[in-house]
Amino acid sequence: MQGLLIERIKTYFRQVREKMSTFDAYFTRGGELYNEKKYKLAVEFFKIALRQSNAENYAYYNLALAYQQLELDDKALENYKIFLESYPTDQNSLYNVALIHYKREEFEEAVKYFVESFKYKQDEANVKALAETYMQIGDTEKASELAEYIFNSDCNKKYAMLVAKVFEAKEHLANDFTLTQKALDIYLRLLELQPGNFDAALAASVAYSKMGDWENAITYCNLAIELKPKSYDANSQMGLVLYCSDNMPECIAYYERAMKIKKDYKIHLNLAYAYEKAGKIDDAIQLFKETLTKFTNFPQKEEVRKHVRQLMEKEKVITLIDAFKDFKEEKNIDRPVMMQVLKDVFLTQIAKTYGSADNFDVIVNVDKGTCEIYQNFDVVEEVENPNSEITLEGIREDGGDADDYEVGDQYSKRLPLAAFGRRGILNIRQNLQGRIMDIEKANVFKKYSEKVGELFYGEIYQTWSKEVLILDEDGNELHIPKSEQIPGERFKKSDSVKAIIKSVEMKNNTTPYITLSRTSNEFLERLFEQEVPEIADGLITVKKVVRVPGERAKVAVESYDDRIDPIGACIGVKGSRIMGIVRELRNENIDVIQWSQNPKLMIQRALSP
C-alpha cells in the first residue's frame, strides 16, 4: 500500500515537471519571437504556454505586450488587467494600461492608472504622461503643480519641456499669451543647454508661430528638420509656417514631404488648403475628395464636404477665366479681334439661355482675363417678360435701392458666370476654343502664304515613308513630301533641314497644309542668293534655273556691273561658294553659265558640258 502511494506521488511530480518543461519551452520561444519583432507568432506561443499552465500569470503580461505591439488594444487591456489581479503594484503594467487609455482618449481612466504608476516610480516618463493627461481633462492646475514641483526639485534640462508644455496648455485655455512667452523662454534656455534638442527646437517654432513671428518660426523649424529630416511633425509645422507667410510653393513641398512620412486626415486637409491658396483648384478638389473617401470619420467632415461643393462651383468660373488668360498670353491674336470674339461667344450663349441677348451687355478685359455681363431691365409696374422687365419690389429683392428708380427707368444687375451652369460654361469654353482655332488657322495661312518662295530652316520632328514632318517655333506643322525630297537623301529625327516654302493649302477646313520643297528650281535660286552676296545685293541676277534634282543643274546668271564676273562670283575662290550649295543638294552637279540675249549663243553655252 505504501509503495503504491509513493509511486503515485512520483508520477504526479513527473507530470508536473513535464508540464512545466512544456510551458517553459513555449514561453521562452514566445519571448524570442517577440524580440525578433514577430509579434503575431509570439502571441500564438504565449497562448499555448498559458494553455499548458494557467497558473503562470506573468505570461499574461508578455501576451499583453505582444498584443500592444500589434495595436490590438482591447486584447492587450484584457491581458494586462488579468496580470494586475495577481501583481497589482507592477508599475510597467499600470503605465502601459494608462498609455492605451490615453491613446483611446479615455483620459479619466488614463489618469487613474498613471497616478497608480506614479506611486511606484517617479521617472520622467511617468511625470510627463501624468501631466499631459491632466491637461487633456482640463485640470491644468494639477498638471502645473506636478510639473513645477519636478522642475524645481530635479535637473532643469530633464523636465523643462514638460513645464513649458503645461504653460502652453494653460495659455490655450486662458487665452493668455504671456504664458506662451514663458514657455518660449524655457525652450530657448533649454536649447542653450542642449543645442541638439529636437523637441525644444520644434516647440520654439510652434511658440513663435502663435506669436506671429514667422521669421523665427522658420529658423527654429529648420533647426528641427536638420536634427530629424524625416520628422512628420517638423515638416508639417514648416508647411504651416510657410502657409501663414504666403510662401506657397515651399509650403506645398513640405506638406507633400510630410504626407510621404505619415498619411492622416490632417496633412491631407492642410495640403488641400495649400493647393487651393496656390490657385491649384483641381488638385485641391481631388485631394479633398480623397480625404473624404480615405478617412470616414474626422471632426470637419461635413464642413469639408460643403467646402468642396463651393470649390467646384468656383472652379467652373475659374476654368473659363483661365481660358481667357491662356488665350491672351499664348495666342498671337490682335486685341480688338480677341475682344470681339469673346463678346460674340458670350452673346451667343446668352441668346441660347435667355432667348435673346438684346438686353445684355458684355464687357471684356483681355488684359486681366475677366468678363463682366450685365442684364438690363425696364422698370415696370407689372412684369410680362421676366428676362427684360422688373418691378420696384423685384429691385428690392435683388438687393438694389428701389428708391433710386421709377417706372420707366432702366435697372442693370451683374450676372455671375455661374448663372450659365456647368454645361453652359463648357459650351462657352468650347465655342471660344473653336473660334480661336479658326483665327489661328487663318493667321498661320496668311503668315506662310506671304512667305511662299522663301527659305525655311527647321529641325526634323518625325519621319515617315511618304513625308517628313517639321515643327516651327509656334508648333505649326510643315511637310516635305517624298516627291519634294532629293532622291536618295535620308533624314533622321532632329536633323537640321533647309527647304523652300512651296505652297500653303486649306484642306477641308483643317489646319493649313504647308508644303516645303528641296527639288524646286526656286530652292536652288534661293541658295545662290544666300551664298553669293552680289546676288543678294542685286549686282548679279539669276535669270534661269533648270534642275534634275540630285543629279545636275544649270544656272544662268547675268551681271549688271561690267567689272564683276558673274560666273566667278557664283563659284567663289577655289569653289568656296558653289561647294556649300553642292553639299546642301547632296553633291548635285551644278553648271553656272552666263546669260545671253542671243538664242544661239545661249543654247551653245547651255549644251556645253
Side-chain angles (χ1 to χ4, degrees):
M1 187 70 178
Q2 186 177 359
L4 180 62
L5 180 60
I6 292 171
E7 187 63 31
R8 284 181 178 177
I9 291 171
K10 287 181 178 179
T11 301
Y12 170 76
F13 279 110
R14 185 170 60 253
Q15 289 173 346
V16 169
R17 282 197 303 273
E18 288 175 357
K19 182 175 288 188
M20 289 299 293
S21 175
T22 305
F23 169 83
D24 289 342
Y26 281 110
F27 183 78
T28 302
R29 182 56 183 154
E32 292 171 352
L33 290 168
Y34 182 90
N35 292 333
E36 294 171 8
K37 298 184 179 180
K38 297 177 180 178
Y39 302 120
K40 288 186 179 180
L41 288 174
V43 163
E44 296 304 319
F45 275 88
F46 287 141
K47 287 165 71 174
I48 294 171
L50 281 168
R51 284 200 294 270
Q52 298 295 325
S53 176
N54 287 328
E56 304 297 341
N57 281 340
Y58 58 85
Y60 284 105
Y61 175 77
N62 293 56
L63 181 58
L65 281 176
Y67 276 132
Q68 192 171 359
Q69 293 293 341
L70 293 171
E71 297 187 356
L72 299 173
D73 293 338
D74 288 335
K75 291 185 177 181
L77 278 177
E78 178 184 346
N79 285 279
Y80 276 133
K81 289 180 180 180
I82 293 173
F83 177 73
L84 285 169
E85 289 174 4
S86 301
Y87 303 94
T89 62
D90 183 78
Q91 187 270 334
N92 288 330
S93 297
L94 292 166
Y95 182 74
N96 288 339
V97 170
L99 283 180
I100 293 174
H101 283 301
Y102 186 93
K103 174 183 172 185
R104 295 164 64 159
E105 298 185 1
E106 298 166 355
F107 299 119
E108 296 290 347
E109 285 292 306
V111 165
K112 183 174 75 174
Y113 282 95
F114 276 136
V115 168
E116 288 297 313
S117 173
F118 186 66
K119 288 178 182 178
Y120 305 109
K121 190 175 183 182
Q122 292 82 31
D123 65 356
E124 182 181 5
N126 266 291
V127 174
K128 184 175 180 180
L130 182 55
E132 288 184 350
T133 310
Y134 277 135
M135 284 186 254
Q136 291 290 352
I137 63 175
D139 195 344
T140 56
E141 290 304 321
K142 282 188 178 179
S144 183
E145 288 171 12
L146 179 62
E148 291 285 5
Y149 169 76
I150 297 297
F151 185 63
N152 293 325
S153 63
D154 208 328
C155 173
N156 289 356
K157 292 184 291 183
K158 191 173 183 181
Y159 299 108
M161 286 293 296
L162 179 57
V163 179
K165 286 289 183 187
V166 173
F167 280 134
E168 282 193 350
K170 290 173 72 176
E171 171 269 320
H172 180 70
L173 294 173
N175 198 23
D176 183 356
F177 273 88
T178 59
L179 295 173
T180 299
Q181 185 63 56
K182 286 185 180 180
L184 179 60
D185 291 341
I186 293 173
Y187 296 140
L188 297 179
R189 190 167 80 237
L190 184 57
L191 282 169
E192 289 178 6
L193 298 169
Q194 296 177 325
N197 191 314
F198 166 80
D199 291 329
L202 183 59
S205 175
V206 173
Y208 274 122
S209 298
K210 288 184 178 181
M211 299 166 71
D213 188 343
W214 308 120
E215 184 176 350
N216 278 314
I218 290 173
T219 299
Y220 283 95
C221 200
N222 272 326
L223 174 59
I225 291 173
E226 286 175 12
L227 295 168
K228 289 187 179 181
K230 294 185 178 180
S231 165
Y232 166 81
D233 291 331
N235 282 283
S236 59
Q237 165 64 10
M238 180 63 88
L240 176 62
V241 174
L242 292 167
Y243 180 95
C244 295
S245 55
D246 294 327
N247 187 344
M248 300 317 299
E250 290 193 32
C251 163
I252 289 171
Y254 277 101
Y255 274 150
E256 288 176 344
R257 191 181 304 171
M259 195 161 73
K260 288 179 183 178
I261 299 168
K262 177 183 174 183
K263 296 183 184 295
D264 63 9
Y265 79 90
K266 292 180 181 178
I267 193 63
H268 275 70
L269 291 181
N270 286 343
L271 181 55
Y273 282 118
Y275 280 143
E276 181 185 349
K277 189 173 181 180
K280 298 181 177 182
I281 305 299
D282 288 339
D283 291 337
I285 292 173
Q286 182 179 348
L287 192 54
F288 277 128
K289 288 182 176 179
E290 185 181 321
T291 308
L292 291 168
T293 304
K294 280 188 176 181
F295 307 98
T296 53
N297 291 310
F298 58 92
Q300 307 98 317
K301 186 168 185 177
E302 288 306 316
E303 180 184 339
V304 170
R305 185 176 282 117
K306 182 180 178 181
H307 186 64
V308 170
R309 286 196 294 267
Q310 293 172 344
L311 268 186
M312 291 177 70
E313 289 297 319
K314 182 180 177 183
E315 191 264 344
K316 296 176 187 176
V317 178
I318 289 176
T319 300
L320 190 57
I321 292 174
D322 284 344
F324 296 164
K325 291 180 179 177
D326 290 344
F327 294 141
K328 167 187 170 289
E329 294 170 2
E330 299 176 10
K331 313 301 181 184
N332 186 22
I333 300 174
D334 293 337
R335 180 189 181 92
V337 174
M338 185 64 166
M339 291 182 66
Q340 190 58 48
V341 166
L342 290 171
K343 284 184 179 181
D344 291 345
V345 167
F346 273 101
L347 289 173
T348 300
Q349 186 60 39
I350 288 169
K352 286 182 180 178
T353 306
Y354 294 94
S356 173
D358 294 341
N359 61 313
F360 288 83
D361 291 325
V362 178
I363 301 173
V364 176
N365 187 326
V366 179
D367 293 329
K368 294 183 179 179
T370 61
C371 178
E372 296 179 359
I373 303 171
Y374 292 92
Q375 187 174 8
N376 303 314
F377 296 88
D378 293 327
V379 181
V380 296
E381 292 183 355
E382 186 176 348
V383 173
E384 295 180 1
N385 183 355
N387 287 331
S388 61
E389 295 176 341
I390 192 170
T391 62
L392 293 173
E393 184 60 31
I395 293 173
R396 291 190 187 93
E397 292 175 359
D398 190 51
D401 190 351
D403 296 336
D404 294 339
Y405 296 89
E406 296 179 353
V407 173
D409 288 346
Q410 193 173 69
Y411 171 75
S412 297
K413 75 170 183 178
R414 184 172 176 179
L415 193 69
L417 292 176
F420 292 106
R422 188 171 187 83
R423 182 173 296 179
I425 290 176
L426 288 175
N427 287 338
I428 293 171
R429 183 179 175 85
Q430 289 170 359
N431 291 336
L432 179 59
Q433 288 175 330
R435 291 287 298 276
I436 296 299
M437 287 179 65
D438 290 342
I439 294 172
E440 280 191 297
K441 291 175 188 177
N443 287 345
V444 172
F445 183 84
K446 181 181 178 183
K447 172 184 174 181
Y448 281 99
S449 295
E450 294 172 351
K451 292 185 177 182
V452 169
E454 295 183 11
L455 279 179
F456 177 85
Y457 305 87
E459 193 174 274
I460 301 296
Y461 180 74
Q462 189 61 273
T463 61
W464 295 292
S465 59
K466 293 185 178 181
E467 67 176 13
V468 171
L469 176 65
I470 302 169
L471 298 183
D472 67 6
E473 65 275 7
D474 296 323
N476 299 312
E477 297 182 354
L478 298 93
H479 308 262
I480 307 179
K482 192 72 175 176
S483 60
E484 300 297 334
Q485 299 174 27
I486 297 172
E489 66 181 351
R490 297 287 183 271
F491 294 107
K492 300 189 297 294
K493 187 173 182 178
S494 300
D495 283 351
S496 295
V497 68
K498 191 184 296 183
I500 194 172
I501 300 171
K502 183 178 181 181
S503 64
V504 184
E505 300 174 283
M506 293 292 290
K507 296 184 177 181
N508 301 323
N509 199 32
T510 58
T511 304
Y513 190 89
I514 305 165
T515 303
L516 303 180
S517 175
R518 289 174 53 80
T519 61
S520 69
N521 295 338
E522 288 82 4
F523 179 51
L524 179 54
E525 186 176 342
R526 295 291 93 77
L527 291 177
F528 268 96
E529 290 177 0
Q530 183 185 50
E531 293 290 337
V532 183
E534 291 84 353
I535 295 177
D537 294 340
L539 298 175
I540 297 175
T541 302
V542 177
K543 301 295 288 185
K544 188 71 175 178
V545 176
V546 179
R547 292 180 67 194
V548 178
E551 295 184 15
R552 64 184 305 168
K554 299 281 185 178
V555 180
V557 296
E558 181 182 24
S559 173
Y560 293 110
D561 190 332
D562 294 339
R563 295 171 298 176
I564 298 175
D565 174 17
I567 296 175
C570 291
I571 294 174
V573 179
K574 296 183 179 181
S576 59
R577 293 178 176 177
I578 196 73
M579 287 308 297
I581 300 173
V582 169
R583 282 193 296 271
E584 181 64 38
L585 299 180
R586 303 294 189 267
N587 297 320
E588 188 173 309
N589 291 321
I590 303 172
D591 295 332
V592 181
I593 61 176
Q594 188 164 349
W595 174 263
S596 175
Q597 295 290 344
N598 186 331
K600 289 182 180 181
L601 181 58
M602 188 62 203
I603 292 170
Q604 182 182 354
R605 290 174 179 173
L607 293 176
S608 63

